[in-house]
């Protein structure tokens, strides 16, 4: 059936409500969206007949309904396995794939250790296309609708490239877009992870939040009024280049004291390598044979074992994060901040929260910020990219 843009918009609002707050009744959908009850009933009926959603009658064991006269309350929820979506994260040192169903359940994941920056543009695009086509060949019997790609930077639609460092800008994505066997959607990797927390995660029901991501680079993505905030302004979210130490180290951007210098994974590893060479008693020497082998996990272990130089590096990072989180809480209307990155997995989470909570609220009576740690995994970005595909191809298809 061919739908008008208005019909697609109404359908999108209803599906969005089901993803955010389902299971939910038709009455509540109509109330929350402003769509008339008659239209809500008609559209949800179509979605049920298509197998996208399903009706659930509350059982007699439900404490709210078992003593109630009349019809049982019916709620609607997203079905499983109506359609499927491929997500791929393109990163400096790896490429990951995640296949999910329309309920957000992970069907399979793949992890490829590959230095994609060493490839020519043609080789990189061939590799990406082969990963997608191999997934389609392996799952021919299911309805895969679209592909999402999480990028290590913003997607420049006009030039069809990654608007990030010069190294990434050499990748012309126009051929990938043209030759993709399925509808293709591209977005910043942290925005993709935010979409997952917004739509799929059961811990969020449409509330505003900030997703603070710190791996090699640092970026924050925000959901505000149920939408990604500032996606068309590439400077929004570049929190790694906010100044936390005005007289601190010089950043690659030319300024001094940027957060990136203290929390960015590359910079932490670089400082650890310097300590490895300058300090003959460095605990890192017992953990790795060569400074080039140092990882964030090694640094975490050296920190736990009491390496003095590494402790200073981590404490500087902790203080930088505390300053940043306090600033964020006063700039963005949210009571929720997600922290994501390997260092938060490893060792500094408790200390960051303790430091933060030791700061007094600027205004008494304001709700305290609720922090939640998103366990870092190399598949998180690909899972978010699959959610991006679902978001555009199923929910907001117009």
């Amino acid at each position: 059936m061919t739908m008008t843009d208005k019909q697609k918009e109404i359908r999108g609002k209803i599906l969005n409500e089901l993803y955010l707050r389902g299971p939910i009744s038709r009455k509540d959908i109509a109330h929350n969206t402003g769509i008339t009850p008659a239209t809500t009933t008609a559209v949800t009926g179509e979605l049920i007949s298509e197998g996208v959603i399903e009706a659930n009658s509350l059982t007699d064991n439900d404490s709210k309904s078992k003593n109630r006269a009349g019809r049982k309350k019916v709620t609607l929820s997203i079905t499983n396995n109506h359609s499927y979506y491929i997500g791929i994260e393109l990163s400096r040192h790896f490429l990951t794939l995640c296949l999910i169903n329309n309920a957000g359940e992970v069907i399979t994941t793949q992890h490829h250790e590959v230095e994609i920056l060493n490839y020519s543009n043609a080789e990189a695009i061939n590799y990406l296309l082969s990963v997608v086509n191999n997934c389609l060949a392996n799952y021919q019997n299911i309805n895969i609708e679209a592909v999402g790609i999480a990028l290590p930077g913003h997607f420049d639609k006009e030039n069809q490239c990654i608007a990030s460092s010069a190294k990434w800008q050499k990748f012309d994505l126009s051929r990938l877009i043209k030759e993709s066997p399925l509808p293709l959607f591209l977005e910043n990797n942290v925005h993709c992870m935010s979409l997952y927390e917004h739509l799929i995660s059961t811990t969020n029901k449409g509330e505003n939040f900030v997703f603070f991501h710190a791996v090699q680079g640092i970026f924050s993505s925000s959901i505000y009024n149920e939408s990604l905030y500032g996606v068309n302004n590439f400077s929004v979210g570049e929190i790694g280049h906010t100044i936390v130490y005005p007289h601190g180290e010089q950043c690659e951007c030319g300024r001094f004291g940027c957060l990136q210098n203290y929390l960015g994974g590359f910079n932490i590893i670089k400082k650890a390598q310097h300590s490895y060479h300058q300090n003959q008693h460095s605990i890192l020497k017992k953990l790795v044979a060569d400074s080039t082998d140092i990882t964030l996990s090694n640094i975490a272990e050296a920190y736990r074992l009491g390496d003095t130089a590494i402790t200073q590096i981590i404490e500087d990072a902790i203080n930088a994060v505390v300053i940043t989180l306090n600033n964020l809480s006063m700039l963005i209307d949210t009571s929720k901040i997600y922290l994501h990155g390997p260092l938060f997995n490893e060792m500094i989470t408790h200390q960051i929260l303790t430091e933060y909570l030791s700061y007094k609220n600027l205004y008494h009576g304001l709700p305290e910020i609720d922090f939640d740690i998103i366990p870092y995994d190399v598949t998180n970005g690909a899972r978010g990219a699959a959610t991006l595909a679902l978001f555009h191809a199923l929910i907001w298809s117009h």
Side-chain angles (χ1 to χ4, degrees):
M1 181 184 69
T2 302
M3 290 185 286
T4 66
D5 287 345
K6 183 62 178 177
Q7 287 172 321
K8 289 180 179 179
E9 181 183 356
I10 291 172
R11 181 186 175 100
K13 286 182 179 180
I14 290 174
L15 279 172
N16 189 65
E17 193 68 20
L18 281 156
Y19 272 98
L20 292 186
R21 284 173 272 273
I24 185 170
S25 69
R26 292 177 178 87
K27 180 180 178 180
D28 289 337
I29 291 173
H31 176 268
N32 293 345
T33 62
I35 300 169
T36 66
T39 300
T40 298
T41 298
V43 174
T44 54
E46 292 169 1
L47 291 169
I48 289 172
S49 67
E50 294 171 20
V52 182
I53 66 175
E54 60 188 359
N56 315 286
S57 295
L58 295 181
T59 68
D60 287 337
N61 293 325
D62 187 276
S63 60
K64 294 182 179 180
S65 63
K66 68 179 181 179
N67 296 320
R68 186 191 304 158
R71 293 186 303 174
K72 297 175 183 177
K73 183 177 181 180
V74 176
T75 60
L76 305 175
S77 59
I78 301 295
T79 61
N80 297 335
N81 306 322
H82 162 269
S83 50
Y84 298 80
Y85 303 86
I86 295 172
I88 293 174
E89 181 176 19
L90 178 62
S91 182
R92 189 180 297 255
H93 300 299
F94 63 83
L95 183 148
T96 56
L97 176 144
C98 182
L99 178 66
I100 66 171
N101 65 15
N102 60 296
E105 297 170 341
V106 174
I107 307 303
T108 188
T109 60
Q110 298 173 14
H111 181 67
H112 304 256
E113 295 285 346
V114 55
E115 297 286 339
I116 203 75
L117 284 173
N118 293 337
Y119 286 25
S120 68
N121 188 77
E123 290 171 334
I125 300 306
N126 288 341
Y127 193 93
L128 282 163
L129 288 170
S130 70
V131 169
V132 173
N133 286 321
N134 286 340
C135 183
L136 291 175
N138 291 333
Y139 291 89
Q140 296 180 47
N141 297 325
I142 62 176
N143 179 31
I144 301 179
E145 291 278 6
V147 180
I149 297 187
L151 301 172
H154 296 283
F155 177 50
D156 182 343
K157 294 180 182 178
E158 182 178 352
N159 298 306
Q160 297 196 325
C161 68
I162 301 170
S164 183
S165 67
K167 291 180 179 179
W168 283 111
Q169 288 177 8
K170 73 176 184 177
F171 286 102
D172 179 359
L173 296 169
S174 58
R175 184 177 143 234
L176 176 66
I177 296 167
K178 182 179 179 180
E179 296 184 16
S180 173
L182 293 171
L184 181 69
F185 305 95
L186 303 100
E187 186 53 88
N188 172 277
N189 60 346
V190 188
H191 284 327
C192 289
M193 288 183 263
S194 277
L195 274 180
Y196 174 84
E197 296 303 324
H198 177 56
L199 289 172
I200 306 300
S201 172
T202 58
T203 63
N204 191 276
K205 292 293 183 180
E207 296 87 356
N208 295 347
F209 66 80
V210 174
F211 193 98
F212 184 88
H213 169 86
V215 187
Q216 303 299 355
I218 303 168
F219 191 82
S220 71
S221 174
S222 301
I223 294 288
Y224 184 74
N225 289 343
E226 300 185 5
S227 297
L228 282 170
Y229 178 77
V231 289
N232 295 320
N233 184 340
F234 291 173
S235 65
V236 172
E238 291 292 350
I239 200 166
H241 293 290
T242 55
I243 296 172
V244 291
Y245 295 115
H247 303 292
E249 305 159 9
Q250 186 169 18
C251 180
E252 61 183 7
C253 73
R255 297 185 293 180
F256 290 85
C258 290
L259 175 64
Q260 176 73 32
N261 280 21
Y262 301 92
L263 187 62
F266 285 127
N267 288 310
I268 288 178
I269 289 173
K270 184 177 179 181
K271 291 175 184 179
Q273 289 172 336
H274 178 76
S275 172
Y276 183 95
H277 291 296
Q278 297 298 316
N279 182 3
Q280 64 178 8
H281 300 296
S282 172
I283 291 175
L284 287 170
K285 292 181 181 292
K286 300 177 181 178
L287 302 178
V288 295
D290 188 87
S291 65
T292 58
D293 298 327
I294 294 174
T295 66
L296 291 175
S297 293
N298 300 141
I299 294 169
E301 182 64 18
Y303 175 82
R304 281 193 289 267
L305 293 173
D307 186 298
T308 303
I310 297 301
T311 297
Q312 185 61 56
I313 292 169
I314 297 304
E315 287 182 353
D316 287 344
I318 291 170
N319 289 330
V321 173
V322 168
I323 291 168
T324 303
L325 295 182
N326 274 277
N327 290 340
L328 279 174
S329 67
M330 290 186 287
L331 293 173
I332 299 173
D333 180 17
T334 182
S335 59
K336 184 81 165 185
I337 296 180
Y338 292 107
L339 301 175
H340 179 256
L343 284 179
F344 300 130
N345 281 15
E346 295 287 357
M347 70 256 183
I348 65 173
T349 299
H350 175 72
Q351 295 174 43
I352 288 173
L353 300 185
T354 301
E355 287 284 340
Y356 181 84
L357 293 174
S358 71
Y359 280 64
K360 293 183 179 180
N361 280 337
L362 182 60
Y363 299 108
H364 294 295
L366 287 182
E368 291 186 342
I369 299 295
D370 178 23
F371 291 94
D372 200 357
I373 308 304
I374 305 298
Y376 174 78
D377 188 270
V378 292
T379 62
N380 290 2
R383 185 180 63 181
T387 307
L388 174 75
L390 182 155
F391 177 79
H392 286 294
L394 179 63
I395 301 175
W396 298 109
S397 59
H398 66 292

